[in-house]
Coordinates of all heavy atoms in Angstrom, one line a residue:
T160 N -19.0 20.3 -18.9 CA -18.9 18.9 -18.8 C -17.7 18.4 -17.9 O -16.7 19.1 -17.7 CB -18.9 18.3 -20.2 OG1 -17.8 18.9 -20.9 CG2 -20.1 18.5 -21.0
P161 N -17.8 17.1 -17.4 CA -16.8 16.6 -16.6 C -15.7 15.8 -17.4 O -15.8 15.7 -18.6 CB -17.6 15.6 -15.7 CG -18.7 15.1 -16.6 CD -19.0 16.2 -17.6
W162 N -14.8 15.2 -16.7 CA -13.7 14.5 -17.3 C -13.9 13.0 -17.6 O -13.2 12.4 -18.3 CB -12.4 14.7 -16.5 CG -12.6 14.3 -15.1 CD1 -12.8 15.1 -14.0 CD2 -12.5 12.9 -14.5 NE1 -13.0 14.4 -12.8 CE2 -12.8 13.1 -13.1 CE3 -12.3 11.7 -15.0 CZ2 -12.8 12.0 -12.3 CZ3 -12.4 10.6 -14.2 CH2 -12.6 10.7 -12.8
N163 N -14.9 12.4 -16.9 CA -14.9 10.9 -16.9 C -15.3 10.3 -18.2 O -14.8 9.2 -18.5 CB -15.8 10.4 -15.7 CG -17.2 10.7 -15.8 OD1 -17.6 11.8 -16.3 ND2 -18.1 9.8 -15.4
L168 N -19.9 12.9 -23.1 CA -20.7 13.9 -22.3 C -20.6 15.3 -22.9 O -21.4 16.2 -22.6 CB -20.2 13.8 -20.8 CG -20.6 12.5 -20.2 CD1 -19.9 12.4 -18.8 CD2 -22.1 12.2 -20.1
K186 N -17.9 24.3 -22.2 CA -16.6 24.3 -21.5 C -16.4 22.8 -21.0 O -17.0 22.4 -20.0 CB -16.7 25.2 -20.3 CG -15.4 25.7 -19.9 CD -14.8 25.4 -18.5 CE -15.1 24.5 -17.6 NZ -14.0 23.4 -17.4
E189 N -11.1 20.5 -17.6 CA -9.6 20.9 -17.7 C -8.8 19.6 -17.4 O -7.6 19.6 -17.7 CB -9.3 22.0 -16.8 CG -9.4 21.7 -15.3 CD -10.9 21.9 -14.7 OE1 -11.8 21.7 -15.5 OE2 -11.0 22.3 -13.5
S221 N -15.2 28.6 -15.9 CA -16.6 28.4 -15.6 C -17.2 29.5 -14.9 O -18.3 30.0 -15.3 CB -16.8 27.1 -14.7 OG -16.6 26.0 -15.4
G236 N -21.8 17.0 -13.9 CA -20.6 17.0 -12.9 C -21.1 16.6 -11.5 O -22.1 15.9 -11.4
S237 N -20.4 17.0 -10.5 CA -20.7 16.6 -9.2 C -21.8 17.4 -8.5 O -22.1 18.6 -8.9 CB -19.4 16.8 -8.3 OG -19.1 18.2 -8.3
V240 N -20.6 20.9 -7.2 CA -20.5 22.0 -8.2 C -21.9 22.3 -8.8 O -22.2 23.5 -9.1 CB -19.5 21.6 -9.3 CG1 -19.4 22.7 -10.3 CG2 -18.1 21.4 -8.7
E258 N -27.0 17.3 -14.5 CA -26.7 15.8 -14.6 C -25.7 15.6 -13.6 O -24.5 15.8 -13.8 CB -26.3 15.5 -16.0 CG -27.3 15.7 -17.1 CD -28.5 14.6 -17.1 OE1 -28.4 13.7 -16.3 OE2 -29.4 14.8 -17.8
L259 N -26.0 15.0 -12.4 CA -25.1 14.9 -11.3 C -24.8 13.4 -11.0 O -24.9 12.6 -11.9 CB -25.7 15.6 -10.1 CG -26.1 17.1 -10.3 CD1 -26.8 17.7 -9.1 CD2 -25.0 18.0 -10.9
G260 N -24.3 13.2 -9.8 CA -23.9 11.8 -9.5 C -24.4 11.4 -8.1 O -25.4 11.8 -7.7
C292 N -20.6 7.7 -13.8 CA -21.6 8.3 -12.9 C -22.7 7.3 -12.5 O -23.2 7.4 -11.4 CB -22.3 9.5 -13.6 SG -23.1 9.1 -15.1
E390 N -19.5 9.4 -2.9 CA -19.5 8.7 -4.2 C -18.1 8.2 -4.4 O -17.1 8.9 -4.3 CB -19.9 9.7 -5.3 CG -19.9 9.0 -6.7 CD -20.3 10.1 -7.8 OE1 -20.3 11.3 -7.5 OE2 -20.5 9.6 -8.9
Ligands
LIG19 P1 -16.9 18.5 -11.3 O1 -18.2 18.9 -10.8 O2 -15.7 18.7 -10.4 O3 -16.6 19.3 -12.6 C1 -17.4 19.3 -13.7 C2 -17.2 20.6 -14.5 O4 -17.5 21.7 -13.6 C3 -15.8 20.8 -15.0 O5 -15.8 21.3 -16.3 C4 -15.2 21.8 -14.1 O6 -14.2 22.6 -14.7 C5 -16.3 22.6 -13.7 N1 -16.2 23.2 -12.3 C6 -15.5 22.7 -11.3 N2 -15.5 23.5 -10.2 C7 -16.3 24.5 -10.6 C8 -16.8 25.7 -9.9 N3 -16.4 25.9 -8.6 N4 -17.5 26.6 -10.5 C9 -17.9 26.3 -11.8 N5 -17.5 25.2 -12.5 C10 -16.7 24.3 -11.9 O7 -17.1 17.0 -11.7 P2 -15.9 16.0 -12.3 O8 -15.0 15.6 -11.2 O9 -15.4 16.5 -13.5 O10 -16.9 14.7 -12.6 C11 -17.3 13.8 -11.7 C12 -18.7 14.0 -11.2 O11 -19.6 14.1 -12.3 C13 -19.2 12.8 -10.4 O12 -20.0 13.2 -9.3 C14 -20.1 12.1 -11.4 O13 -21.1 11.2 -10.8 C15 -20.7 13.2 -12.2 N6 -21.1 12.8 -13.5 C16 -22.5 12.8 -13.7 C17 -23.0 12.4 -15.0 C18 -24.4 12.3 -15.3 O14 -24.8 12.2 -16.5 N7 -25.3 12.5 -14.4 C19 -22.0 12.0 -15.9 C20 -20.7 12.0 -15.6 C21 -20.3 12.4 -14.4

Side-chain angles (χ1 to χ4, degrees):
T160 54
W162 52 263
N163 64 324
L168 295 172
K186 206 242 23 108
E189 65 275 32
S221 278
S237 60
V240 178
E258 295 286 355
L259 310 176
C292 57
E390 180 181 11

